Amino acid sequence: MSGNIELLSQVLATAKTEGRAALVGYLPAGFPTVDGGVRAIRAMVEGGCDIIEVGLPHSDPVLDGPVIQTADDIALRGGVKISDVMDTIREVHTATGAPVLCMTYWNPVDRYGVERFAADLAAAGGAGCILPDLPVEESEVWRKAAELHGLATVFVVAPSSRDAASLMGVTGTRESVGRQAQDLVERTRTTTELPVCVGLGVSNPEQAAEVAGFADGVIVGSAFVKRLLDAPDLESGLTAVSALAGDLAKGVRKRA
């Protein structure tokens, strides 16, 4: 089951050898519907996303902004289940060949069963899991299960973090922490050789190019969600997210 974690590493390494950052696209499973979400994520990859994060919708997504909270609410009201999240990951990876990570808060994993969640994620073709609210020092149970099933474990460093550990995620608000995020990336790199990817509310090629100047990957979520929310119908939304992915893909290549 180690193939997909190796694929994740390979995609990040390839981007680095090309002198650019990887483009990481995020969308919650079940949004706008389960099938519609799969189609939207496929459009994101076809447009230029290198890596995909599939969100597990949560009723209290405290670390997400209002746009993603809206998408989570739509997915939950649509009855999305963890099995739908796994199906989304499976279908996206099978159709595109892109590495797919699951992003989830810890409580759903704990309630589902840590070993069961890791096993099901690996069986679905997932490359790993992002756990934004799981402290590194409390993660041993998960990390053991993830290692057993060949999954990457991705921790999130907030701009308020004083010390960085083994991780590759940074989150924050684009307007207020641009320089702070760059400083945090530099500090993180002193403690790990893992790639460091940054999500800062990037929504256009210029912002993508700026973040790509100091990060190994640029994570975009809300901008894709907003394209779907603003679209009059699914087909228009698919066109919009594909076009955005194409524009952002050009942006992450401008850092070279």
Side-chain angles (χ1 to χ4, degrees), residues 13-179:
T14 297
K16 186 174 183 179
T17 61
E18 293 175 356
R20 66 177 181 89
L23 177 59
V24 185
Y26 167 92
L27 202 72
F31 170 75
T33 62
V34 174
D35 291 341
V38 170
R39 292 183 65 194
I41 295 170
R42 289 181 62 175
M44 289 159 60
V45 176
E46 290 162 5
C49 286
D50 301 292
I51 298 166
I52 290 296
E53 295 180 8
V54 172
L56 193 161
H58 194 273
S59 58
D60 186 26
V62 293
L63 299 180
D64 292 307
V67 173
I68 292 175
Q69 288 182 16
T70 298
D72 276 8
D73 184 57
I74 290 169
L76 290 169
R77 283 192 284 111
V80 70
K81 301 179 179 64
I82 289 181
S83 59
D84 297 316
V85 178
M86 298 299 178
D87 287 344
T88 297
I89 291 168
R90 179 182 294 104
E91 291 187 39
V92 169
H93 176 64
T94 300
T96 68
V100 184
L101 296 158
C102 179
M103 183 166 181
T104 177
Y105 292 91
W106 176 244
N107 188 51
V109 177
D110 194 35
R111 291 182 63 184
Y112 190 81
V114 175
E115 169 65 27
R116 179 186 173 200
F117 192 93
D120 286 358
L121 179 56
C129 198
I130 305 164
L131 295 154
D133 63 339
L134 180 65
V136 176
E137 58 271 19
E138 297 175 18
S139 65
E140 184 178 4
V141 171
W142 166 257
R143 284 187 289 111
K144 284 184 176 179
E147 183 177 358
L148 178 65
H149 292 284
L151 297 170
T153 297
V154 181
F155 294 104
V156 175
V157 183
S160 57
S161 299
R162 294 181 178 273
D163 298 303
S166 296
L167 37 85
M168 54 178 253
V170 177
T171 187
T173 304
R174 174 67 178 79
E175 293 77 13
S176 62
V177 296
R179 178 62 203 174

Side-chain angles (χ1 to χ4, degrees), residues 19-24 48 50 174 198-220 223-224 244-256:
R20 66 177 181 89
L23 177 59
V24 185
D50 301 292
R174 174 67 178 79
V198 176
L200 281 175
V202 170
S203 61
N204 61 52
E206 293 73 28
Q207 292 171 345
E210 180 183 346
V211 175
F214 60 84
D216 298 299
V218 179
I219 305 168
V220 181
F224 285 118
L244 176 60
D247 289 342
L248 294 169
K250 291 175 184 174
V252 298
R253 285 163 172 78
K254 286 182 180 177
R255 81 167 188 179

Side-chain angles (χ1 to χ4, degrees), residues 170-240:
V170 177
T171 187
T173 304
R174 174 67 178 79
E175 293 77 13
S176 62
V177 296
R179 178 62 203 174
Q180 193 176 3
Q182 184 171 353
D183 291 342
L184 185 56
V185 168
E186 291 169 1
R187 285 193 286 127
T188 301
R189 285 193 170 128
T190 67
T191 67
T192 179
E193 295 181 357
L194 292 173
V196 181
C197 301
V198 176
L200 281 175
V202 170
S203 61
N204 61 52
E206 293 73 28
Q207 292 171 345
E210 180 183 346
V211 175
F214 60 84
D216 298 299
V218 179
I219 305 168
V220 181
S222 295
F224 285 118
V225 171
K226 193 169 188 305
R227 292 298 190 281
L228 290 168
L229 287 172
D230 291 346
D233 53 62
L234 178 60
E235 295 303 324
S236 300
L238 298 179
T239 300

